[in-house]
Amino acid sequence: MAVVGRPRRSCLAVPGSSVKMLGKAQGLPADQVFLDLEDAVAPLAKPDARKNIVAALNEGDWVGKTRVVRVNDLTTPWTYRDVIDVVEGAGANLDCVMLPKVQNAAQVQWLDMTLTQLEKTLGLEVGRIGIEAQIENAAGLVNVDAIAVASARVETIIFGPADFMASINMKSLVVGGLIPDYPGDPYHYILMRILMAARMHDKQAIDGPFLQIRDVDAFREVAKRSAALGFDGKWVLHPGQIDAANEVYSPAQADYDHAELILDAYEHYTSEVGGRLGAVMLGDEMIDEASRKMALVIAAKGRAAGQTRTSTFTPPAE
Ligand code: GLV
Ligand code: MG
C-alpha cells in the first residue's frame, strides 16, 4: 500500500497559548504542524489560545506544512466553541481538524457534519478540511475501523500513547518507551491495530509523542520501531526531534536506491525485450511481483520525501 496524501513524517505540536512558539514553528522543517487547544493549553487559557491560533493561521507563513488544529475532545465543554471559532476565523487557512480521544464513529460524524455546515455557511469548499482521529483509549481502539470510515474527511489515525497508557492502567510513566518488566514491546498490538485500520482504509498511520525531549537518541529508537512496522510519521514536541523524525520515516538512501532498481529491473524483465520473465535474479536476489509491490512502497516514500536516486539499472548485454 502506497503512502496516501502529503507526507507527515514529523508532526510538530505547538501550544496555542504560546504566541512565541506559534511564530517560531513557522520556520521549522516539520512536515505538519498542529496548533493545540487541548492538553498543552490550560482551561483558563483556551479562549485566548483560540484567538492566537486564528491569527497565526491567517497571518503566519506555513508554506510547505500541513496546518492542523487539535480541538478538545467531545466529553469536554470546549469542542463546539473550538471548532466554530477556528473554522469561522481561519477555515480557508486550515487543512485538518484533529479530534483527540475519539471513542466511536458518531463523534467523527458530528465533526464531519459541523465542518460541512461551517463550510456551507462560510462559502468554503465543502469537504476540503480533513479530520485526524486520535486513538487514546480502549473504546477508540476497539472501534478504530468504524472511526476510520466514519467520514471521507479522515486522513490520519494517530496513536496517543500517554492518554492510552493512563486509560488502560499501564504500569509505566515512560511514554512510548519499553517497560523493563515486560519482555516485548507493550505498544505492539496497539500500533498494529491502528496500522491495520489505516492501511485497510487508505489512511496515514501516525505515532504519538515521546516526552524525553532532550534525548533524541531515545526518540529515534522509539520512532524506528513504528517506522519499521509501516507507520508514516510521528509527533515531535521539540525542534530537536524534527530532523530525526524526517530521517527515520524516510527510507535509507540504500533502500530507496534498491527499490528504484527493483522497479526498473522488473519492468525490463517482464517486457517483451526483457524476455517476459516473472521471477528473475537482480544480483543475488530473486525478485517477482511481490518484490515490485514492496519496492513501490519504499520508492513512494522516498519520492514523497524528495529523495534522489544515486544508481541506475542497466539491462545486461545480450
Ligand atoms: C497524546 O495526546 C498522548 O496522549 O500521547
Ligand atoms: Mg493525549
Side-chain angles (χ1 to χ4, degrees):
M1 183 71 57
V3 181
V4 182
R6 285 164 293 202
R8 284 171 163 96
R9 299 164 303 174
S10 48
C11 307
L12 177 65
V14 190
S17 47
S18 169
V19 173
K20 189 169 155 216
M21 285 172 82
L22 287 166
K24 191 173 172 203
Q26 295 168 36
L28 297 173
D31 290 339
Q32 168 175 310
V33 286
F34 77 86
L35 314 184
D36 197 15
L37 286 170
E38 204 219 17
D39 286 355
V41 178
L44 292 177
K46 291 193 197 279
D48 280 346
R50 291 182 191 123
K51 293 193 189 109
N52 297 341
I53 285 176
V54 166
L57 286 172
N58 288 339
E59 291 153 27
D61 177 1
W62 303 101
V63 171
K65 295 179 178 54
T66 299
R67 304 152 300 177
V68 179
V69 172
R70 179 166 74 161
V71 297
N72 287 276
D73 84 87
L74 277 161
T75 64
T76 70
W78 301 302
T79 326
Y80 168 79
R81 187 47 60 202
D82 289 346
V83 176
I84 302 293
D85 281 9
V86 168
V87 179
E88 275 191 358
N93 294 318
L94 174 69
D95 297 309
C96 286
V97 173
M98 185 190 302
L99 191 61
K101 303 180 180 71
V102 181
Q103 302 197 36
N104 51 49
Q107 294 187 333
V108 176
Q109 285 155 355
W110 173 84
L111 182 55
D112 177 292
M113 280 189 263
T114 306
L115 288 172
T116 300
Q117 273 297 299
L118 281 160
E119 288 163 340
K120 285 184 174 170
T121 306
L122 300 167
L124 299 171
E125 181 188 335
V126 173
R128 193 194 59 82
I129 299 175
I131 293 177
E132 302 205 316
Q134 208 187 350
I135 303 297
E136 307 198 74
N137 49 46
L141 193 66
V142 168
N143 294 323
V144 68
D145 287 313
I147 288 168
V149 291
S151 158
R153 296 180 192 263
V154 175
E155 295 187 15
T156 66
I157 315 281
I158 305 165
F159 176 39
D163 276 300
F164 204 102
M165 291 165 72
S167 94
I168 63 167
N169 295 359
M170 203 180 253
K171 196 169 157 248
S172 169
L173 285 170
V174 182
V175 173
L178 297 182
I179 302 174
D181 287 342
Y182 184 74
D185 180 347
Y187 308 101
H188 182 76
Y189 168 73
I190 310 165
L191 290 171
M192 278 310 243
R193 187 67 195 85
I194 288 174
L195 188 62
M196 292 308 110
R199 289 296 168 261
M200 178 163 175
H201 304 295
D202 284 356
K203 313 297 179 189
Q204 290 196 40
I206 306 296
D207 196 2
F210 183 71
L211 307 188
Q212 274 67 28
I213 57 171
R214 293 189 210 294
D215 191 347
V216 178
D217 288 340
F219 170 89
R220 205 181 285 273
E221 287 311 307
V222 174
K224 276 183 184 169
R225 285 198 289 273
S226 68
L229 295 178
F231 269 61
D232 299 294
K234 185 170 176 64
W235 280 15
V236 290
L237 302 182
H238 186 267
Q241 296 177 330
I242 297 176
D243 286 346
N246 288 346
E247 180 198 314
V248 169
Y249 292 93
S250 302
Q253 184 65 42
D255 289 343
Y256 175 61
D257 283 340
H258 190 53
E260 294 283 15
L261 218 53
I262 290 175
L263 293 178
D264 285 352
Y266 195 69
E267 191 180 337
H268 169 75
Y269 286 117
T270 51
S271 72
E272 193 68 46
V273 57
R276 295 195 232 159
L277 303 171
V280 288
M281 294 303 288
L282 178 64
D284 291 339
E285 179 187 17
M286 200 195 81
I287 60 167
D288 68 2
E289 178 57 25
S291 319
R292 187 185 71 87
K293 291 201 176 85
M294 290 192 292
L296 269 179
V297 171
I298 305 298
K301 282 189 192 245
R303 290 173 200 169
Q307 285 175 257
T308 318
R309 61 189 295 184
T310 59
S311 63
T312 49
F313 171 70
T314 316
E318 288 300 306

